[in-house]
Amino acid sequence: MRNDTSTAKLILTAAGIAGSLSGCKEQPALGGRADTTAEISSPTGSGEDLAYVTNEDSQNLTVIDTRTDSVVATISVGTRPRGVKVSPDGKTVYVALSGSPKCPPSMPDEECEKLKADKTKDGIAVVDVAARRVTRVLPGGSDPEQFDISGDGKRLYISNEDAGTASIVNVEKGTIETTVKVGAEPEGVRLSPDGKLVYVTAESDTSIRVLDAQTGAAKARIKVDRRPRDVAFSPDGKRAYATAEVGGTVSVIDVSNNRVLATIKLPQDAKPMGVRFSPDGNKVYVATGRGGTVLVIDPATNRVTGSVKVGQRPWGLALTRDGKKLYTANGPSNDVSVVDTDKLAVIATVPVGKIPWGVAIGPAPARE
């Protein structure tokens, strides 16, 4: 993804020398209790959620208690953290790191290509939530940006932006199992609810590649609108909604036939980015980037039914498991907006790190 901010100098401090473990880069402690503002509460069986926000320029992960909407920890993770996912048990958070330089949209491609990349900093950081530190770095292919995690937590499906590929990583072995060509500038990655398909958006290719989740084999290419960014499946897996930033639209896809059923035109100022389905499948939430709002689409009619103004340039979106709160990562305003989904109103604004990019929500791990 071409970025909206100027190239920043990234400094990564770490004690010790990286070793190797099962094909992974062993990561020294890059944070911990000295970086936290409060203890992480992990009540057994509480059903409470924690939100994790990647801050691309400050190179850290902000942890938010969704009960109080307060920051409970800040964990250093590495260079340019963007995509983020939580393991099914809530004990581990995975963060995509990249050693590729940031290039603003105003920078010509030839100038961007002259900037030096440090591929040794590419990878997927593995964060131990209880210890509040990075324990190792998995290989993630070149310039990993977004990714998804299998239901059993054993595999990661990763977009490699600068290489035009997607990588499938075996978490336990710490190895890349498969690398697949998916089109220019891949970004959004989403696993279907049944775990059989992986959708990968290709920004410059204006398409979505459909991969077999087990083998990585390409099954289909779905043509969508200009600069597709993200995709979300309905809970029943029958439909997928894909955002197109430049097109200003959301494509509605029939998953069984790999075809676009409808194209939803959004308000003129909308630059659709992140997209999420509500847990009950009755609403689709779309972050509008420079539009500064989150829109609500009724999937029964494919019409926009609501809008709420949030922070500046919202990108990443995440919902609590009960669907009652929505969190948006607002890059230029360095904060997260918390939206009450029943009232469709912002109920809190949480300051985080510099240039928040992604947000993921998972269960608070139980105390042992």
Side-chain angles (χ1 to χ4, degrees):
M1 167 175 117
R2 299 297 297 268
N3 293 275
D4 294 337
T5 56
S6 59
T7 303
K9 183 180 180 181
L10 301 178
I11 303 173
L12 175 62
T13 57
I17 300 174
S20 63
L21 176 63
S22 301
C24 310
K25 293 180 284 183
E26 188 69 16
Q27 188 73 12
L30 295 179
R33 300 192 182 276
D35 293 325
T36 64
T37 56
E39 289 294 317
I40 294 179
S41 176
S42 304
T44 301
S46 69
E48 301 297 344
D49 292 333
L50 294 175
Y52 302 90
V53 182
T54 52
N55 303 300
E56 186 175 9
D57 282 10
S58 55
Q59 306 178 59
N60 52 25
L61 182 73
T62 300
V63 186
I64 299 171
D65 186 332
T66 64
R67 295 171 300 175
T68 61
D69 292 324
S70 59
V71 174
V72 295
T74 302
I75 305 168
S76 296
V77 289
T79 58
R80 292 192 66 199
R82 291 181 291 176
V84 56
K85 290 291 177 182
V86 186
S87 65
D89 61 10
K91 294 181 178 180
T92 306
V93 175
Y94 298 94
V95 178
L97 307 175
S98 175
S100 294
K102 295 178 66 175
C103 301
S106 58
M107 180 182 291
D109 288 343
E110 56 270 21
E111 292 299 317
C112 181
E113 291 171 1
K114 293 177 183 177
L115 299 176
K116 186 177 181 180
D118 184 351
K119 308 312 291 180
T120 66
K121 294 181 178 179
D122 289 347
I124 305 295
V126 181
V127 179
D128 183 317
V129 173
R132 275 172 279 184
R133 69 182 184 92
V134 175
T135 57
R136 60 174 176 160
V137 177
L138 297 166
S142 180
D143 190 22
E145 183 166 5
Q146 285 211 68
F147 62 98
D148 207 348
I149 185 170
S150 62
D152 59 10
K154 294 182 178 180
R155 277 179 157 189
L156 301 179
Y157 302 87
I158 305 162
S159 61
N160 304 122
E161 185 182 17
D162 65 355
T165 61
S167 298
I168 301 177
V169 170
N170 183 307
V171 173
E172 184 179 1
K173 294 180 180 179
T175 57
I176 295 175
E177 293 183 343
T178 308
T179 300
V180 187
K181 286 287 185 182
V182 291
E185 289 190 276
E187 183 163 335
V189 182
R190 193 72 55 202
L191 189 67
S192 63
D194 62 9
K196 294 181 179 180
L197 302 174
V198 181
Y199 274 28
V200 182
T201 67
E203 294 177 39
S204 297
D205 192 53
T206 63
S207 68
I208 294 172
R209 291 305 200 284
V210 182
L211 308 180
D212 183 289
Q214 289 301 311
T215 66
K219 297 175 66 69
R221 175 179 179 265
I222 305 170
K223 184 74 173 177
V224 290
D225 209 344
R226 291 171 296 164
R227 209 161 183 81
R229 289 290 199 173
D230 200 11
V231 62
F233 285 94
S234 60
D236 63 11
K238 294 181 179 180
R239 299 285 183 268
Y241 283 62
T243 57
E245 182 188 13
V246 174
T249 63
V250 175
S251 295
V252 183
I253 298 167
D254 181 338
V255 174
S256 63
N257 293 314
N258 297 315
R259 67 186 183 94
V260 175
L261 295 174
T263 300
I264 305 168
K265 184 65 178 177
L266 301 184
Q268 187 173 3
D269 62 347
K271 302 294 182 183
M273 307 287 273
V275 58
R276 293 291 181 271
F277 253 94
S278 61
D280 62 11
N282 292 329
K283 295 177 181 177
V284 179
Y285 298 97
V286 179
T288 65
R290 291 182 181 86
T293 62
V294 172
L295 301 179
V296 182
I297 295 172
D298 180 352
T301 63
N302 287 329
R303 293 184 178 181
V304 176
T305 58
S307 175
V308 57
K309 186 172 179 57
V310 291
Q312 297 177 35
R313 198 176 62 82
W315 200 133
L317 293 177
L319 287 153
T320 52
R321 287 175 294 164
D322 61 11
K324 293 185 179 298
K325 286 183 176 182
L326 174 77
Y327 291 71
T328 71
N330 311 317
S333 53
N334 297 327
D335 57 28
V336 167
S337 297
V338 184
V339 176
D340 181 314
T341 56
D342 289 331
K343 299 176 180 178
L344 199 59
V346 173
I347 57 174
T349 300
V350 185
V352 290
K354 189 174 181 181
I355 309 297
W357 195 97
V359 57
I361 293 177
R367 288 195 181 115
E368 299 190 3

